[in-house]
Amino acid sequence: MSITYRPIIVISSTRPENIPDLIKYVFRSSRASSGKKVYLHFITDIPFHEFTSYAREPLLDNIDLGVEIFTWKEDEIEKMMKVIQEEFSDNVGIIFIAMKKREI
């Protein structure tokens, strides 16, 4: 029996304070679609280490999922798309997520 890992490519951007909610949503969506590996391409001006500090709790809660995180500057979007095209030339779906903080 072979295990198939359905990779999910996510392209997103949000405010730093919304990153934990974004990561939780991405993992929840991944599990719902039987995904085992997530490639998160996040467009931001914050450094990678700061991004991971915001995402720490959801990452640790979902340690069983494979995740690769890439952070890109706004002027690197063309480069990001080229990397995605080269790395995932087979038929892999791409999810674009736009998150907005809900008013309570």
Side-chain angles (χ1 to χ4, degrees), residues 36-79:
K36 298 291 183 194
K37 180 83 174 185
V38 177
Y39 296 92
L40 176 59
H41 294 268
F42 194 77
I43 303 163
T44 185
D45 286 331
I46 63 174
F48 181 79
H49 70 277
E50 190 174 333
F51 175 86
T52 55
S53 70
Y54 282 106
R56 184 177 188 271
E57 182 182 333
L59 288 171
L60 292 174
D61 289 344
N62 296 280
I63 198 80
D64 58 319
L65 289 175
V67 63
E68 287 189 32
I69 299 172
F70 304 89
T71 56
W72 302 93
K73 304 285 186 214
E74 286 185 23
D75 60 345
E76 296 177 321
I77 293 175
E78 190 173 314
K79 181 179 175 184

Side-chain angles (χ1 to χ4, degrees), residues 4 7 9-10 14 23 33 35 39 41 56 60 62 75 82 92 95:
T4 57
I9 300 170
V10 178
T14 189
I23 301 296
S33 63
Y39 296 92
H41 294 268
R56 184 177 188 271
L60 292 174
N62 296 280
D75 60 345
K82 185 177 180 183
V92 175
I95 300 172

